[in-house]
Amino acid sequence: MKTKFEQIVDVQAIGKAENHVSSAELFALAAAENLPPADQDAEKTLLLAVDIQLDFMDDGALGVKGAKKDVERLTRFMYDNIEKISAVAATCDCHSPMQIFHACWWQDENGNEPAPFTIITKKDLNAGRWTPRTMPEKSAEYLEALEKQGKKRLCIWPYHCLEASVGGAIEPQFSNMANFFSAVRRADFKKFGKGRIPYSEFYGALRPEYCEPGTDNTELLEYVSRFNKIIVAGEAMDYCVYETISQLCEELQRIGRSPQIFVLTGCTSSIGPREEAEKQYAELTKRYGITML
């Protein structure tokens, strides 16, 4: 290509809200290229970027250590493989303050809100240690459902990815590369929101932790099912990336589709111990045949 990587991505600016290149400059660079359009690809490959948003960068509101380096490696991968990628899709956490995993949903007997990273259980609710300020029946139902599933517990996260906030925006340097790709290959750069249900976490992009009829993201499932290969990266490896891949494998199998799923391990970081996350992925590999790159 005529355009250099550095003209699209400023690695020193990754994780910052400012952008070194305007949309007009970016698309002028793209217009000078002459790559084949993605609809001519014999094999359709989707890059699925999970929650690459400012609040999940290293020093963001809910920062994942290593996220900025993940973005650098991912954008270089996109640049180097621009003719092999047929479409880019991004999932985005979309929250409001008043959600069950934010502090203002809860109070103790003195009216105090829980500190970030407080774990709240059904036992805490029954004992009156924490009381929901809204939707008490839904809150109890959710805590009970989490315990029955035996997966994750309710964690009070720092306020993050609030809709219309700077922190909720897609990281600008990744956005530059995705938009450049879209213009050069005349291809999709689609965005899928998740996380708007007030009484449930929504780690995976296809459905919330507590699932009721009508809450599944059928649009995303229908979209990804069109591709032969799905390459996944993003944040965090042990939460939203893992749950998204797990749900994808399950749902694609259910509808009789079997695209190859690849995980860019150098483009995703973990909140908890990486060794524990790798055990989860080893199980997915064994069960569904995903490939760790």
Side-chain angles (χ1 to χ4, degrees):
M1 286 194 300
K2 300 174 185 176
T3 308
K4 295 180 180 179
F5 174 83
E6 292 76 15
Q7 293 176 276
I8 307 167
V9 173
D10 178 359
V11 296
Q12 299 303 317
I14 292 173
K16 298 178 181 178
E18 64 265 23
N19 204 335
H20 74 296
V21 58
S22 69
S23 296
E25 292 169 328
L26 187 71
F27 294 125
L29 292 170
E33 303 293 345
N34 187 30
L35 298 184
D39 61 10
Q40 294 180 7
D41 292 352
E43 188 173 59
K44 305 297 183 184
T45 299
L46 172 68
L47 174 69
L48 179 60
V50 177
D51 298 1
I52 300 183
Q53 295 165 267
L54 283 170
D55 271 348
F56 294 128
M57 295 299 104
D58 299 55
D59 48 2
L62 186 49
V64 180
K65 187 177 180 180
K68 291 195 286 187
K69 281 294 184 181
D70 293 336
V71 173
E72 179 180 350
R73 288 186 286 266
L74 178 58
T75 51
R76 289 189 184 278
F77 174 87
M78 294 166 71
Y79 180 85
D80 292 340
N81 295 277
I82 198 164
E83 293 190 57
K84 299 176 183 177
I85 299 169
S86 308
V88 174
T91 70
C92 299
D93 251 6
C94 301
H95 297 317
S96 62
M98 202 64 180
Q99 292 195 259
I100 198 167
F101 45 81
H102 281 156
C104 62
W105 187 278
W106 301 91
Q107 65 179 22
D108 65 13
E109 59 184 7
N110 298 314
N112 299 311
E113 296 178 353
F117 306 108
T118 297
I119 301 297
I120 296 179
T121 66
K122 184 71 182 298
K123 185 177 180 180
D124 293 327
L125 178 66
N126 292 339
R129 280 190 285 272
W130 296 110
T131 303
R133 289 169 167 163
T134 186
M135 294 190 183
E137 292 181 2
K138 283 289 187 186
S139 300
E141 193 176 334
Y142 180 61
L143 291 173
E144 186 173 344
L146 288 182
E147 292 185 8
K148 284 182 178 178
Q149 291 170 6
K151 293 170 64 180
K152 293 180 172 64
R153 297 181 296 173
L154 174 61
C155 180
I156 301 303
W157 299 112
Y159 293 101
H160 65 284
C161 295
L162 301 180
E163 290 200 73
S165 72
V166 172
I170 293 175
E171 198 288 319
Q173 303 307 311
F174 168 76
S175 181
N176 283 353
M177 186 58 74
N179 282 315
F180 179 82
F181 158 83
S182 179
V184 167
R185 298 291 320 275
R186 301 189 283 287
D188 283 341
F189 174 30
K190 294 184 72 70
K191 297 90 178 172
F192 295 91
K194 66 183 180 68
R196 293 185 174 94
I197 298 172
Y199 53 84
S200 176
E201 262 288 10
F202 211 126
Y203 295 118
L206 294 182
R207 61 174 177 267
E209 292 295 285
Y210 177 65
C211 193
E212 291 183 327
T215 54
D216 286 16
N217 194 338
T218 55
E219 181 187 1
L220 175 58
L221 178 61
E222 190 279 329
Y223 181 72
V224 300
S225 68
R226 305 174 191 174
F227 294 89
N228 306 108
K229 295 180 178 180
I230 303 170
I231 302 171
V232 187
E235 306 305 337
M237 183 182 187
D238 48 348
Y239 279 86
C240 296
V241 175
Y242 171 78
E243 293 296 341
T244 295
I245 294 172
S246 180
Q247 292 174 5
L248 273 176
C249 290
E250 182 181 339
E251 291 302 307
L252 288 167
Q253 185 179 79
R254 181 183 63 81
I255 64 174
R257 295 301 307 275
S258 54
Q260 293 177 278
I261 296 179
F262 301 87
V263 183
L264 294 179
T265 56
C267 303
T268 180
S269 293
S270 178
I271 292 176
R274 191 171 180 99
E275 306 78 45
E276 292 302 314
E278 288 172 349
K279 291 178 184 177
Q280 293 178 299
Y281 283 86
E283 182 60 33
L284 282 182
T285 301
K286 181 178 178 181
R287 189 183 312 166
Y288 296 109
I290 68 171
T291 300
M292 309 296 285
L293 297 177

